[in-house]
Amino acid sequence: MATAPFLGRDEELAALSGLVSRSFRAGTAAAAIVRGHAGSGKTRLIMEVRANLEPANQLTVSGFEPERQVPLAAARGLLSAMTSVEHEGSRLAALLDASSSGRPLEPVQVFEAAHRCVTELAPLVVLVDDLQWVDDLTVALAHYLLRAARHRGGGLALIAASRPGPAVSAFARSVGRLLADPDRMVNMTLGPLDRGCGVQLARCLNSDLDPASAARIWQQSGGVPFWLTELARAGTIGSITRPFLMERLAGVSADAGWLAAILATVGTPTDMAMIEDVLGWSQPRVHMAADELVNDGFAMRVGLVLRIVHDLVREAVLAELPDGLVRRAHAQLADHLEAHAGDDVQLLREALGHRRAAGRPCSDLALRLVSSPRRRLLGPEDVRELARVADDPAEAAAQSSQLRWEVARIASELGRPELALEHWVALLPRLTSADERARAALRASQAALQLGDWTQARALFAEACAAGSVDAVLAIELDAYQSELVGDSSTESELPMRRAASAARALVHSRGDHDALAADERRAYLAALRSQFYFALRTEQPEKMLHITEQTALACDTVDGRLRATLDGVLALRLLGQFVEAERRCRAARLAAVRENLPATAFHAGYLLAGTLYHLGRLAEARAAAAEVVAVADRAPVVVPTWLSQSWIRSLVHEIDVSMQGWQTSRAAIEDLADSEPNPHFRLNVRLTSGFWAARLGGPTDTPYAVACLKAAREDAQAAGCARCASELAVRAAEAYARVGWLGDARALLDTWDAGHPKAIGEVAFWRRRGEALITAHSDRAAAVAHLEAVCGQARSMSAQLEHVWSRLDLGKVLAVTDRERSVAVLQATAEDAHQLGAYSEQRRALQLLRAVGVRAWRPTRHVVDAGPGGLTERELEIGRMVATGASNPEIAEAMFVSRKTIERHVSNILAKTGTRNRAELAAHLASK
């Protein structure tokens, strides 16, 4: 095999060579400390430095562990070379000869004589390898030589390589203070080789390796040069590591060997105090065994934390240990972790893994884990591990049955419906109680519904009803869920909702207050409220929806439940056209969800926030928020509410882009979403989006496309059977039909809608009024102007800036025939507003209409934002209020979809503008305004 080439340390070699050159040129002292764990290539780097020096300009010092306690043992070669110096060398030789003849050694005299020799030999580099094993007197000599060169002159460069540790850190600090010049001191730590250098090195060492094999060896070695070299020369893992390592490990003491077994079993960096507790050893005994492993290159220590030096070592140790010893090590670790875990999910999870590996029963510990108040920190693999414990025939039957139930429940709590469905269905055949079977089937049906599998959801619900449960509390849940499962505004949905609501009210009355409800009773009461909320949503009663969310928030006993109720309230506020309040509540809920580590709720809030910002006309913020929501959905499975779909989440980004970039840019993406959405209930909104914007921004040739999209959306609405979606579709499609001149269809839709909606409020009333205005514009322009002025006023009252822009575009277009001067003024102001919003499609439409009335030139004016308290902008005031709630900069950045540095800059500006010195003073300042 070839000799290992020098690769991957070019920058380090250049830094050391540069330091030596500066020392030689200036005739001054300089030093470099090179740290690196065993196998990192320290010695090879020192060898490369030596190879670039003239022999007369270098002296070496090497530390050896057995000689650490022998004074000047490491300096023997260095001092011997110095004795050849004329005059001063003979004096040094005499001092050394005197000590060898039994006289006491005088270190200061030896040090001074050595310095005089260095002065004669200068310029000189002293290269120290394995400083961690150099005896104390030699370390003191090196420091003395540097100090003397620093004060008396002489080109001396000291380059010392060492494993990390307290001794080298202390030496480096002292030398740094001595030299007091960063240009004369280099500190470096050798990390792993990067992929490119590692692959190149492996193939240089073994020409039989192809690039893919060399890359695998680099990865398995962790980029550590020693292991990479050994593996590359062997060509495979197994042929080198175990025999090579076990031969070396056979020479360590029994204590060091058992410590290696414990470290290999743990598999992660381990605190020395924990090792003392696990093994029951004294601190000196643990430290002595640890020192032995570190010195032999099997372990590394950083402070008081110890770990096996490399996974290859760990795997080799575990492979050689007898099964009995491995189980014993796992048992000791499990006992320690259980005793100290409390309700810490991470420690309990580790304890469970060790107890299973030790072959002990685990059901009691698994139940402790799923009962922890912090169980929401568990992940999908943890749920699977708990399920494996429950399915283990060696576990006690009673505990296994209870654990299976808890595993399914925790999967539901964690927002992983695919796991919940799997475990609830698996549990069903094992249950004999009618109540338990009904409850498990209900939970399985709810999980299937979350996954969008309506067929399985209905089948499981039927199984829940057929179980024959007589539990009155469970009956409330079943009725409430039946109303949700039917999913329309028919009697079939209304009757079970009303039964659930009546029984839930009676239950609360019997207890005196909802605070007195037991856990299952509270769950049933909240389910009844949820069914009322969704029925109110389907029957277009946003005021009632808002009232129900307030009741729900009061009844919830968890942070997550209250936040979800808040988000339901945000949906109601949006339907009422109260977008400013919706944004405030939504942003606060999202911030709280991030702070409480509730990713599903934070995701839900992010989607609602993006849509709310869009309605408010804050397009850039809305785009960033929507893109972040999509990115979260792409990274991991996300559970969305039953009224929402992934296609809606993604179409929001494209709809924002319609205004910011153009309709044609987003058209294909929206079409793809519609084609890929299998559920007509969700597909109709995507079809509507495509047809609606084609009608708004397309030309005459786009009319057939717009009409086709609207027709497809109406067919989907009929197939979905959702009255609420059909109602919203009717008023929005009426506007689109009116824009493309299909007045008969537009009129028919509004007349049908009016028949079923004697009272219209909020956003849907706004849409209906605008559709009416656009129809009227074709026959009575004066009446249309009055209608559109009212539409503009309603858009302003809702703070719906983008809709306000469109309403004024329509007004300006109608006025062009009857009042050109006013039309120009309206359209110019609208173009300005669209420009400030970043709504460039709307801006272009305003300019087209201006050109149609003879105005060719327009330039945007500078936009001035009204300042809030202390001269704060609207954005600064918003951030200031979040600071006042106690939110940290990272939390605010997360909630506002911007970087931490942006928030830091805003907070600094806010403090400066308000004259406050800290966050507490700022909170008090804003509270007084």
Side-chain angles (χ1 to χ4, degrees):
M1 290 291 177
T3 302
F6 182 75
L7 291 170
R9 306 293 189 202
D10 293 336
E11 290 184 10
E12 291 87 347
L13 181 59
L16 297 178
S17 299
L19 180 79
V20 171
S21 297
R22 291 193 297 275
S23 173
F24 284 12
R25 284 197 308 269
T28 59
I33 307 296
V34 181
R35 295 178 178 87
H37 290 292
S40 60
K42 302 182 298 299
T43 299
R44 183 58 191 274
L45 181 59
I46 293 291
M47 290 169 60
E48 289 298 316
V49 174
R50 289 187 63 185
N52 293 332
L53 294 171
E54 294 294 333
N57 295 125
Q58 57 179 280
L59 293 174
T60 61
V61 173
S62 295
F64 296 94
E65 184 188 5
E67 299 176 358
R68 288 178 66 184
Q69 306 305 319
V70 180
L72 293 180
R76 183 178 59 183
L78 175 116
L79 294 174
S80 177
M82 289 181 177
T83 58
S84 62
V85 175
E86 191 175 357
H87 303 305
E88 297 299 335
S90 59
R91 184 168 181 271
L92 175 61
L95 290 170
L96 295 173
D97 287 343
S99 66
S100 64
S101 62
R103 299 178 194 174
L105 180 70
E106 296 290 343
V108 175
Q109 294 181 11
V110 172
F111 290 1
E112 182 61 24
H115 161 63
R116 294 180 183 277
C117 292
V118 166
T119 302
E120 293 293 327
L121 294 170
L124 186 67
V125 178
V126 176
L127 300 158
V128 183
D129 195 14
D130 285 326
L131 180 66
Q132 76 276 2
W133 289 329
V134 172
D135 60 275
D136 292 342
L137 199 56
T138 299
V139 172
L141 169 62
H143 193 278
Y144 185 93
L145 295 176
L146 274 177
R147 185 160 63 90
R150 166 76 174 81
H151 293 293
R152 301 178 194 173
L156 175 64
L158 174 75
I159 299 177
S162 175
R163 295 180 188 176
V168 68
S169 296
F171 181 73
R173 286 194 299 270
S174 181
V175 170
R177 287 193 298 267
L178 170 66
L179 298 177
D181 183 348
D183 202 41
R184 291 193 284 168
M185 180 74 185
V186 169
N187 271 293
M188 65 174 64
T189 300
L190 301 184
L193 297 179
D194 63 32
R195 180 188 176 97
C197 290
V199 170
Q200 185 181 355
L201 176 59
R203 299 193 72 198
C204 287
L205 291 166
N206 187 342
S207 59
D208 293 334
L209 293 173
D210 57 40
S213 299
R216 283 194 297 273
I217 283 177
W218 167 80
Q219 186 174 24
Q220 289 160 342
S221 71
V224 178
F226 172 81
W227 295 112
L228 196 151
T229 299
E230 295 296 330
L231 293 174
R233 284 175 171 161
T236 60
I237 296 294
S239 62
I240 176 65
T241 52
R242 283 178 58 183
F244 173 76
L245 290 169
M246 297 320 296
E247 181 181 346
R248 296 180 62 193
L249 193 60
V252 304
S253 67
D255 278 1
W258 184 233
L259 177 57
I262 291 292
L263 292 174
T265 304
V266 174
T268 58
T270 307
D271 183 83
M272 299 281 276
M274 173 182 167
I275 296 172
E276 294 169 22
D277 190 44
V278 169
L279 296 176
W281 292 356
S282 66
Q283 185 183 81
R285 184 179 177 185
V286 171
H287 280 257
M288 185 176 296
D291 288 343
E292 187 175 350
L293 291 179
V294 170
N295 292 336
D296 284 350
F298 291 105
M300 63 176 66
R301 179 166 51 198
V302 179
L304 294 176
V305 175
L306 191 66
R307 59 161 293 181
I308 291 290
V309 72
H310 197 281
D311 283 343
L312 293 172
V313 178
R314 177 175 177 267
E315 291 165 8
V317 171
L318 288 176
E320 290 296 322
L321 287 175
D323 290 344
L325 285 180
V326 173
R327 287 194 296 272
R328 176 185 161 199
H330 280 295
Q332 286 183 280
L333 289 165
D335 291 343
H336 169 82
L337 291 168
E338 287 179 59
H340 294 83
D343 60 6
D344 188 309
V345 167
Q346 176 66 30
L347 294 180
L348 288 171
R349 187 166 46 193
E350 290 180 23
L352 181 66
H354 287 302
R355 201 200 274 200
R356 287 203 77 203
R360 291 181 173 183
C362 298
S363 293
D364 59 331
L365 181 56
L367 286 169
R368 179 180 167 189
L369 178 57
V370 297
S371 301
S372 168
R374 303 173 67 186
R375 60 184 176 273
R376 284 184 175 275
L377 296 177
L378 294 171
E381 186 51 43
D382 300 314
V383 175
R384 295 187 183 95
E385 176 67 11
L386 290 166
R388 285 191 283 269
V389 173
D391 292 336
D392 189 338
E395 301 291 338
Q399 286 186 324
S400 291
S401 179
Q402 183 184 356
L403 182 58
R404 287 189 185 98
W405 186 277
E406 292 300 325
V407 167
R409 183 178 64 84
I410 194 66
S412 299
E413 280 188 16
L414 293 175
R416 300 305 300 259
E418 73 286 357
L419 292 177
L421 178 61
E422 173 190 340
H423 292 302
W424 286 121
V425 169
L427 187 61
L428 276 171
R430 298 183 171 96
L431 300 174
T432 56
S433 162
D435 288 347
E436 287 184 342
R437 282 186 58 80
R439 190 168 283 109
L442 172 60
R443 300 289 176 259
S445 178
Q446 290 169 331
L449 185 60
Q450 281 186 295
L451 293 169
D453 189 343
W454 290 76
T455 302
Q456 188 169 14
R458 291 187 178 103
L460 287 165
F461 177 70
E463 187 169 349
C465 294
S469 170
V470 294
D471 187 319
V473 174
L474 180 58
I476 296 174
E477 282 197 79
L478 289 168
D479 278 336
Y481 181 65
Q482 181 181 351
S483 176
E484 183 179 347
L485 191 61
V486 171
D488 59 27
S489 55
S490 66
T491 302
E492 188 180 357
S493 173
E494 184 175 5
L495 287 178
M497 179 274 293
R498 294 197 179 282
R499 283 199 305 269
S502 176
R505 284 193 298 270
L507 178 63
V508 173
H509 181 74
S510 69
R511 298 293 184 264
D513 186 75
H514 54 66
D515 287 339
L517 295 173
D520 60 333
E521 295 171 337
R522 185 184 302 275
R523 184 173 55 246
Y525 177 60
L526 291 173
L529 288 174
R530 185 173 60 250
S531 71
Q532 293 174 68
F533 174 84
Y534 282 116
F535 189 81
L537 173 64
R538 292 192 293 270
T539 53
E540 300 175 80
Q541 302 179 72
E543 291 173 321
K544 188 170 184 179
M545 290 166 59
L546 191 59
H547 175 66
I548 293 169
T549 63
E550 292 165 354
Q551 291 180 292
T552 302
L554 288 173
C556 284
D557 60 348
T558 66
V559 172
D560 194 28
R562 289 190 289 273
L563 291 178
R564 289 178 180 273
T566 297
L567 295 177
D568 286 341
V570 167
L571 181 61
L573 287 168
R574 281 176 41 170
L575 294 175
L576 289 166
Q578 298 179 30
F579 294 110
V580 173
E581 177 62 14
E583 186 216 357
R584 185 191 69 79
R585 294 193 191 184
C586 193
R587 206 180 281 283
R590 188 177 188 280
L591 180 63
V594 169
R595 184 180 292 162
E596 296 291 332
N597 191 32
L598 300 169
T601 304
F603 175 85
H604 181 187
Y607 171 75
L608 287 175
L609 179 60
T612 305
L613 291 170
Y614 173 62
H615 282 289
L616 289 168
R618 286 152 61 179
L619 299 183
E621 288 182 71
R623 180 63 169 75
E628 174 62 22
V629 170
V630 170
V632 171
D634 287 341
R635 286 196 298 269
V638 178
V639 177
V640 299
T642 54
W643 56 265
L644 181 58
S645 76
Q646 293 282 0
S647 60
W648 285 10
I649 292 167
R650 297 172 192 281
S651 70
L652 178 57
V653 175
H654 303 310
E655 189 166 10
I656 296 169
D657 285 343
V658 167
S659 289
M660 297 185 73
Q661 300 177 19
W663 169 63
Q664 294 293 351
T665 303
S666 301
R667 173 175 167 173
I670 297 174
E671 288 176 351
D672 289 344
L673 281 175
D675 292 340
S676 63
E677 174 56 70
N679 190 329
H681 185 221
F682 298 128
R683 188 171 58 237
L684 72 90
N685 189 67
V686 185
R687 297 281 192 210
L688 172 62
T689 297
S690 196
F692 184 80
W693 283 104
R696 273 189 167 184
L697 292 171
T701 58
D702 295 307
T703 294
Y705 173 79
V707 171
C709 289
L710 295 173
K711 179 184 177 183
R714 294 172 69 181
E715 290 172 351
D716 281 338
Q718 187 173 5
C722 176
R724 193 200 75 82
C725 289
S727 171
E728 180 178 316
L729 171 64
V731 290
R732 298 199 70 195
E735 174 187 334
Y737 278 129
R739 290 188 184 280
V740 298
W742 283 49
L743 302 182
D745 288 75
R747 181 77 272 163
L749 284 172
L750 289 188
D751 288 345
T752 302
W753 190 88
D754 288 343
H757 298 82
K759 177 187 176 184
I761 60 173
E763 189 178 34
V764 71
F766 170 80
W767 289 333
R768 192 255 173 263
R769 178 175 286 176
R770 184 165 57 196
E772 183 68 45
L774 293 174
I775 294 172
T776 305
H778 286 271
S779 58
D780 186 345
R781 292 187 180 277
V785 168
H787 276 306
L788 287 169
E789 286 174 338
V791 170
C792 289
Q794 188 174 353
R796 279 196 304 271
S797 69
M798 295 190 304
S799 297
Q801 298 299 325
L802 194 62
E803 296 296 359
H804 187 232
V805 164
W806 271 102
S807 301
R808 295 174 78 195
L809 284 172
D810 294 331
L811 178 61
K813 182 178 180 180
V814 173
L815 285 170
V817 177
T818 60
D819 189 342
R820 179 185 179 280
E821 184 177 348
R822 187 183 172 201
S823 173
V824 170
V826 168
L827 291 173
Q828 286 181 331
T830 304
E832 178 68 33
D833 288 346
H835 174 76
Q836 298 300 338
L837 295 177
Y840 299 118
S841 292
E842 286 76 5
Q843 179 186 329
R844 286 193 293 270
R845 177 50 57 92
L847 297 181
Q848 290 171 359
L849 293 173
L850 281 169
R851 285 194 293 272
V853 295
V855 177
R856 299 293 177 183
W858 173 85
R859 282 193 176 90
T861 57
R862 185 180 177 186
H863 183 56
V864 180
V865 179
D866 292 336
L872 301 180
T873 65
E874 181 181 347
R875 169 55 66 87
E876 288 172 341
L877 185 58
E878 181 182 8
I879 292 172
R881 286 171 176 156
M882 294 176 79
V883 169
T885 66
S888 66
N889 287 354
E891 290 170 338
I892 298 172
E894 177 79 10
M896 300 193 77
F897 301 98
V898 296
S899 70
R900 295 184 183 185
K901 288 190 177 295
T902 298
I903 296 300
E904 289 168 4
R905 186 172 64 252
H906 277 304
V907 171
S908 296
N909 291 340
I910 293 167
L911 294 175
K913 284 185 177 183
T914 56
T916 52
R917 294 173 296 178
N918 52 49
R919 300 167 88 92
E921 287 188 8
L922 175 61
H925 172 81
L926 292 177
S928 67
K929 298 299 179 182

